[in-house]
Amino acid sequence: MSSPVVFPRTDATILSDDGDSLTFCSTCAFSQACLSEGMDKRALMDLHVLVEHVGPLQAGEHVFREGDSFSAIAAVRAGTVKTYQVDRDGHEQVLGFHLPGEVIGLNAIHGDRYPCNAVALDTVMLCRFSFPKIALLATRLPNLQQHLFRLMSHDIGVASLFARDNSADERMAAFLIGLSRRLAARGYSSRRFQLTMSRTDIANYLRQAPETVSRVLRRFERDGLVHIKQRDVEILDLDRLHELASTVLRD
């Protein structure tokens, strides 16, 4: 049995993955909702026509910018997208990191303009969905509509994760466990992955100082929880890390 793929994977296979005449691409954010309706790609040509493949985008290229007119949501096919806002004083606030199979742009539904920026952190491929058309399709497919609601609810829940008064160790543990789970759900290794975001971005997202993040990671490594080499992470003790993260994740 082959080992799970280590994230990120940006080889030619994943970048050109478009499924076939019946199946959706492997990272499609909506395939499960559609398949649960008993419909494959051929039965859902309406949906496939709505999809525009975007990319590859290189690190630093924007998917959209705050204030841009909203007309579409995008699902990540490969790579990592960071969403962020910039305050009046020019300070950046990281809102999230979006991995393959995850959707960006849902927070623009209210207001008809994107309320944040979205930028590629590495080589990124996207599927861009016309929101007016997918919303219309969702009225005909109850499971697709429920899936959209779940995605929006999930975004709200994630946004509130680090609003509580948790310790730096608990926050970092929750961040690593969250990445592990999200990658495992898409077929990647749950124990080995690369941090495609900078330490500064991680610190910003966790509302910590960069030196605090570095200090916590060194302590995790000293205590045998993880092994870190530059951006490569290997989780050595998943149970202990999960126990530390549970106060943030509440599970």
Side-chain angles (χ1 to χ4, degrees):
M1 183 176 178
S2 60
S3 300
V5 176
V6 176
F7 179 81
R9 178 187 174 195
T10 53
D11 56 54
T13 303
I14 195 70
L15 293 181
S16 63
D17 176 20
D18 188 30
D20 55 33
S21 61
L22 294 179
T23 59
F24 298 88
C25 61
S26 60
T27 55
C28 180
F30 296 101
S31 61
Q32 194 56 49
C34 296
L35 292 173
S36 64
E37 294 277 1
M39 298 183 178
D40 56 27
K41 187 192 287 185
R42 186 165 53 193
L44 273 174
M45 285 306 293
D46 285 350
L47 175 60
H48 194 57
V49 167
L50 309 181
V51 179
E52 174 191 1
H53 288 169
V54 178
L57 302 179
Q58 303 306 319
E61 289 190 70
H62 277 76
V63 182
F64 52 76
R65 293 182 183 272
E66 184 174 355
D68 286 352
S69 178
F70 170 67
S71 61
I73 57 177
V76 181
R77 295 177 69 195
T80 310
V81 174
K82 177 181 76 173
T83 50
Y84 69 97
Q85 292 176 321
V86 178
D87 66 21
R88 293 180 179 179
D89 297 322
H91 299 135
E92 183 176 305
Q93 179 181 352
V94 177
L95 303 178
F97 305 104
H98 305 268
L99 306 174
E102 298 177 352
V103 176
I104 56 175
L106 286 169
N107 57 353
I109 295 172
H110 174 71
D112 290 329
R113 291 191 180 277
Y114 294 104
C116 63
N117 307 280
V119 65
L121 292 183
D122 50 5
T123 303
V124 166
M125 297 286 288
L126 301 167
C127 284
R128 189 174 183 270
F129 296 83
S130 162
F131 187 75
K133 292 183 179 179
I134 201 172
L136 179 62
L137 188 63
T139 64
R140 292 157 41 194
L141 301 177
N143 281 346
L144 180 57
Q145 187 177 63
Q146 291 172 17
H147 187 61
L148 284 170
F149 289 153
R150 280 196 297 269
L151 289 172
M152 289 187 282
S153 177
H154 177 264
D155 280 358
I156 293 169
V158 169
S160 66
L161 271 182
F162 300 106
R164 296 186 289 272
D165 187 22
N166 297 105
S167 72
D169 286 23
E170 290 167 341
R171 287 168 181 261
M172 178 54 69
F175 178 72
L176 294 175
I177 289 294
L179 282 179
S180 170
R181 289 176 175 176
R182 290 156 64 193
L183 292 171
R186 290 293 167 180
Y188 291 98
S189 171
S190 63
R191 291 182 177 266
R192 293 185 60 216
F193 49 85
Q194 188 178 103
L195 296 174
T196 49
M197 62 293 294
S198 69
R199 298 283 177 89
T200 300
D201 278 345
I202 294 172
N204 187 311
Y205 178 61
L206 297 179
R207 309 298 181 257
Q208 301 285 330
E211 54 268 25
T212 300
V213 165
S214 295
R215 185 169 60 251
V216 169
L217 288 175
R218 285 196 299 270
R219 183 161 57 248
F220 281 5
E221 188 162 26
R222 186 179 64 241
D223 292 346
L225 297 177
V226 300
H227 174 67
I228 298 174
K229 184 176 181 180
Q230 297 179 330
R231 292 195 175 195
D232 294 324
V233 174
E234 181 179 4
I235 297 177
L236 302 176
D237 196 329
L238 197 62
D239 290 339
R240 284 173 62 201
L241 199 63
H242 179 268
E243 183 179 355
L244 192 58
S246 62
T247 54
V248 178
L249 301 177
R250 295 194 173 183
D251 59 9

